């Protein structure tokens, strides 16, 4: 009996000694890789440079994209590294864009040397160096709740720090914040039905000493940032409601994703020798923001406040996705006063955005309809005093994607949208003029692996477009980058609006999932151009008007997802 008892006691003691290491044993690290390979080819005409009055811009090119995400996990803590490589087929410029051969600062050796948004080109022997983009580099960890940094706070908050995607931080649809940013996001779960995002977005930062020189030689870009507060509420099954409040602050010039560079007839243009200004300047230019340095003068501030509500409702075969946003704020720029003197002028922002999607699913048939309205400025408005157009924080060319391929991005996400249409996919509205439009998309799944679809999108500007403007001198760089804003031609520009009708685009496409994780997409798009796309130019000193011509695009893509 004593022997048995001694053995039992020894066993209990041994287990007790072994237990702490077992309980404290860390989870095994795990690494996963997922992403995609795209091979894309597209032929098109008359939309690349955004100048629809000149229809000799045409192209047939091909490219590849590799987009892997590496996820490193230990328990609930993880880090993600996202990479991206975009290369066109064949050399398009003076070199392949790689290093050490390319020291020009531009892919391909000069502006327009490679397809817009590609890093370089796969030339003969395909030895291309220095082509990797860093998309994401963030760490995700528990900030509050059990086994967290602050375990005494009972609700669970997952924190994410670093370069990360916006995802659904600010919206369900792509309306205000999309793409990627550097900063912090705190995602708190109060109940399964009530959650909240609080994000801090670092847009531009100021380093020590950058503000010590005179305004025209400073290197600092100021402190540009945004806060986003966005609850997620599910009051009943199938209904999600997402209010959003955001504050954006900018010093001097800022990211072109956050502020349109719309030309204003009261803003100084290019400064030439002797200090004089020629032409009209943009609202995000160094002449508008003062100082003369590339970052402008950081004493010119903007405070922008965005309030909105985004929602999605599903009931059986029906779906409804309504969104309503309002934007207000104040800003200061350099502009001409009525006495001809250039000085600081204060302006205010007041803009609306409404977006609605309705859908119905009947077996293999899906029918969707979408409408948008956003306010804009008239042609003669002084933008230094008032902005009535909506400005997202960052849409990463994603607005209206999948509904069009020339007026927005389609399966070839390097064509259409912003540069081709004065910011329709980056700023929602057409230049300063706002937007009114609707679309219909019908998808029929013939089999689970094979679908056909079609879209149609009539589009107008909310205010009449002054077509006595254009997109600047024609060049390969201009055709490659497009025309994000209309430019002054002469003293007749910015006088009065002529037309609201941008045009109607019709698309037809198929998707064939021919193997596991592999799909072939084919798409054709045609834009019947409206008179709002007309342009003007000076020929021998006289104003010559050019009527907009139609545009088309045909695309094929093979995608492997892993």
């Amino acid at each position: 009996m004593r022997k048995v008892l001694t053995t039992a006691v020894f066993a209990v003691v041994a287990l007790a000694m072994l237990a702490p290491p077992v309980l404290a044993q860390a989870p095994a690290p795990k690494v996963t890789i997922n992403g995609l390979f795209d091979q894309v080819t597209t032929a098109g005409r008359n939309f690349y440079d955004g100048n629809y009055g000149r229809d000799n811009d045409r192209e047939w090119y091909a490219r590849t994209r590799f987009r892997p995400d590496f996820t490193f996990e230990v328990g609930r803590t993880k880090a993600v590294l996202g990479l991206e490589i975009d290369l066109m087929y064949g050399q398009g410029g003076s070199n392949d864009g790689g290093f050490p051969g390319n020291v020009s600062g531009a892919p391909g050796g000069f502006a327009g040397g490679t397809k817009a948004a590609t890093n370089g080109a796969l030339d003969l022997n395909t030895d291309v160096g220095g082509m990797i983009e860093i998309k994401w580099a963030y760490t995700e960890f528990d900030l509050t709740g059990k086994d967290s940094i602050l375990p005494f706070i009972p609700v669970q908050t997952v924190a994410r720090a670093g370069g990360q995607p916006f995802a659904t931080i600010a919206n369900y649809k792509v309306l205000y914040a999309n793409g990627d940013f550097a900063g912090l996001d705190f995602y708190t779960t109060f109940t399964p039905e009530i959650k909240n995002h609080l994000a801090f977005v670092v847009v531009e930062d100021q380093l020590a000493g950058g503000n010590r020189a005179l305004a025209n030689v400073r290197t600092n870009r100021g402190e540009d940032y945004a806060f986003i507060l966005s609850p997620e509420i599910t009051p009943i099954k199938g209904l999600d409601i997402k209010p959003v409040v955001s504050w954006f602050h900018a010093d001097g010039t800022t990211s072109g994703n956050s502020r349109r560079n719309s030309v204003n007839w009261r803003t100084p243009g290019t400064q030439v020798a002797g200090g004089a200004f020629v032409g009209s300047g943009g609202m995000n230019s160094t002449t508008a923001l003062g100082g003369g340095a590339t970052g402008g003068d950081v004493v010119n501030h903007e405070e922008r406040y965005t309030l909105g509500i985004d929602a999605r409702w599903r009931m059986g075969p029906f779906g409804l996705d309504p969104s309503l946003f309002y934007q207000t704020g104040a800003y200061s720029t350099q502009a001409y006063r009525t006495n001809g003197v250039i000085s600081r002028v204060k302006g205010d922002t007041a803009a609306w955005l409404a977006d609605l999607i309705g859908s119905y699913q009947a077996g293999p048939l899906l029918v969707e309809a979408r409408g948008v309205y956003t306010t804009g400025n008239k042609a003669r408005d002084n933008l230094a005093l008032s902005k009535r157009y909506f400005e997202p924080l960052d849409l990463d060319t994603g607005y209206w994607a999948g509904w069009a391929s020339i007026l927005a991005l389609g399966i070839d996400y390097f064509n259409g949208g912003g540069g081709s249409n004065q910011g329709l996919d980056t700023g929602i509205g057409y230049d300063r003029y706002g937007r009114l439009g609707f679309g219909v998309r019908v998808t029929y799944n013939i089999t689970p692996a094979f679908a056909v679809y079609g879209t149609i999108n009539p589009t107008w500007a909310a205010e009449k477009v002054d077509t006595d403007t254009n997109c600047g001198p024609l060049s390969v760089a201009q055709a490659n980058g497009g025309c994000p804003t209309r430019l002054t031609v002469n003293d007749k520009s910015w006088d009065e609006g002529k037309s609201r009708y941008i045009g109607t685009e019709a698309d037809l496409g198929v998707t064939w999932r021919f193997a596991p994780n592999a799909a072939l997409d084919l798409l054709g798009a045609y834009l019947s151009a409206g008179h709002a796309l007309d342009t003007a130019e000076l020929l021998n000193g006289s104003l010559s008007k050019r009527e907009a011509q139609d545009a088309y695009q045909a695309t094929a893509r093979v995608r492997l997802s892993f």
Side-chain angles (χ1 to χ4, degrees):
M1 181 68 181
R2 181 179 297 175
K3 185 177 181 180
V4 173
L5 182 60
T6 302
T7 303
V9 171
F10 178 82
V12 171
V13 172
L15 287 173
M17 293 175 66
L18 291 173
V22 171
L23 293 175
Q25 183 176 357
K30 182 174 66 171
V31 179
T32 56
I33 305 174
N34 56 66
L36 59 85
F37 272 99
D38 277 349
Q39 308 296 333
V40 184
T41 184
T42 297
R45 180 174 182 173
N46 197 35
F47 63 88
Y48 298 97
D49 59 9
N51 186 342
Y52 290 86
R54 292 279 189 177
D55 65 352
N56 59 347
D57 53 318
R58 64 195 72 182
E59 181 180 274
W60 184 8
Y61 88 112
R63 64 176 174 86
T64 186
R65 162 170 282 191
F66 177 42
R67 177 67 180 84
D69 291 327
F70 300 85
T71 303
F72 308 87
E73 297 178 82
V74 180
R76 288 177 50 83
T77 303
K78 67 179 180 181
V80 176
L81 175 65
L83 306 179
E84 186 173 281
I85 302 174
D86 292 294
L87 298 168
M88 64 178 284
Y89 290 11
Q91 183 172 319
S94 56
N95 55 60
D96 62 12
F99 296 94
N102 180 25
V103 294
S104 67
F110 54 85
T114 62
K115 177 66 178 177
T118 60
N119 311 107
L122 291 168
D123 53 359
L124 285 180
N125 294 319
T126 65
D127 296 324
V128 187
M131 294 287 101
I132 299 177
E133 295 180 33
I134 306 297
K135 291 295 291 181
W136 299 340
Y138 66 84
T139 303
E140 189 174 285
F141 54 93
D142 290 332
L143 179 65
T144 66
K146 184 181 179 181
D147 299 327
S148 68
I149 294 177
L150 304 172
F152 50 86
I153 300 178
V155 296
Q156 183 183 66
T157 298
V158 177
R160 180 181 286 179
Q164 58 187 289
F166 277 108
T168 59
I169 288 176
N171 40 238
Y172 295 133
K173 294 199 296 285
V174 177
L175 293 171
Y176 177 68
N178 186 47
D180 319 292
F181 72 100
L184 300 168
D185 175 49
F186 304 108
Y187 188 43
T188 303
T189 301
F190 297 100
T191 71
E193 296 79 24
I194 302 176
K195 303 174 183 179
N196 183 73
H197 276 288
L198 175 60
F200 173 58
V201 181
V202 181
V203 180
E204 294 183 350
D205 206 357
Q206 176 173 290
L207 299 177
N211 60 341
R212 286 178 173 169
L214 296 175
N216 63 336
V217 292
R218 289 176 188 160
T219 58
N220 68 309
R221 299 188 62 85
E223 297 277 0
D224 299 2
Y225 53 83
F227 286 95
I228 302 172
L229 176 65
S230 182
E232 296 177 354
I233 305 168
T234 305
I236 59 175
K237 184 178 180 181
L239 175 61
D240 298 313
I241 302 173
K242 191 174 185 64
V244 60
V245 178
S246 179
W247 167 38
F248 170 67
H249 169 86
D251 298 327
T253 57
T254 191
S255 169
N257 294 294
S258 302
R259 181 190 291 149
R260 276 185 180 273
N261 196 30
S262 292
V263 168
N264 180 40
W265 63 281
R266 300 289 293 185
T267 296
T270 304
Q271 190 170 19
V272 297
F277 292 90
V278 178
S280 306
M283 292 298 291
N284 196 31
S285 65
T286 57
T287 54
L289 281 307
T294 56
D297 191 341
V298 296
V299 301
N300 291 301
H301 305 296
E302 179 176 8
E303 310 292 347
R304 187 192 308 162
Y305 307 94
T306 303
L307 302 92
I309 186 166
D310 197 9
R312 55 190 182 190
W313 176 56
R314 302 291 180 266
M315 179 176 285
F318 296 97
L320 189 66
D321 298 75
S323 307
L324 182 64
F325 282 69
Y326 176 71
Q327 205 164 70
T328 186
Y331 57 93
S332 61
T333 61
Q334 299 290 316
Y336 288 103
R337 294 189 177 272
T338 54
N339 60 3
V341 175
I342 300 173
S343 63
R344 184 177 303 160
V345 176
K346 294 183 179 180
D348 69 273
T349 296
W352 287 91
L353 168 64
D355 187 294
L356 177 67
I357 298 177
S359 63
Y360 176 74
Q361 179 92 47
L365 177 66
L366 174 62
V367 180
E368 301 167 281
R370 184 173 188 177
V372 59
Y373 172 75
T374 183
T375 54
N377 283 87
K378 298 181 184 299
R380 194 61 181 169
D381 286 352
N382 182 359
L383 302 183
L385 294 178
S386 64
K387 290 193 291 188
R388 298 296 176 255
Y389 52 84
F390 188 83
E391 292 185 287
L393 180 63
D394 175 25
L395 293 188
D396 193 26
T397 67
Y399 186 71
W400 213 260
W403 289 80
S405 298
I406 297 175
L407 297 177
L409 300 190
I411 60 174
D412 185 353
Y413 36 86
F414 285 3
N415 279 327
S420 302
N421 298 284
Q422 280 74 53
L424 285 181
D425 66 355
T426 54
I428 302 179
Y430 180 84
D431 203 287
R432 67 168 70 196
Y433 300 102
R435 180 174 181 171
L436 171 66
F438 68 90
V440 176
R441 182 169 61 188
V442 179
T443 305
Y444 188 82
N445 290 279
I446 298 174
T447 71
F450 191 87
V452 297
Y453 59 91
T455 67
I456 188 166
N457 293 272
T459 306
W460 297 262
E463 303 290 343
K464 288 185 178 181
V465 177
D466 187 344
T467 56
D468 289 337
T469 53
N470 66 17
C471 292
L474 302 178
S475 67
V476 65
Q478 194 273 329
N480 199 256
C483 181
T485 184
R486 284 182 172 254
L487 305 175
T488 302
V489 175
N490 65 0
D491 59 355
K492 300 298 183 183
S493 302
W494 318 114
D495 189 16
E496 62 176 350
K498 309 296 192 302
S499 175
R500 288 188 175 91
Y501 182 49
I502 294 172
T504 298
E505 180 182 340
D507 295 7
L508 183 63
V510 299
T511 298
W512 178 27
R513 298 173 182 84
F514 60 90
N517 293 8
L520 169 67
D521 290 285
L522 302 174
L523 182 138
Y526 191 89
L527 173 64
S528 177
H531 286 296
L533 299 180
D534 292 350
T535 58
E537 57 189 55
L538 289 178
L539 294 178
N540 299 321
S542 300
L543 188 68
S544 176
K545 300 189 178 184
R546 303 192 65 89
E547 184 174 330
Q549 304 298 308
D550 296 349
Y552 65 81
Q553 178 182 180
T555 301
R557 181 183 73 189
V558 174
R559 168 169 288 183
L560 171 65
S561 303
F562 56 91

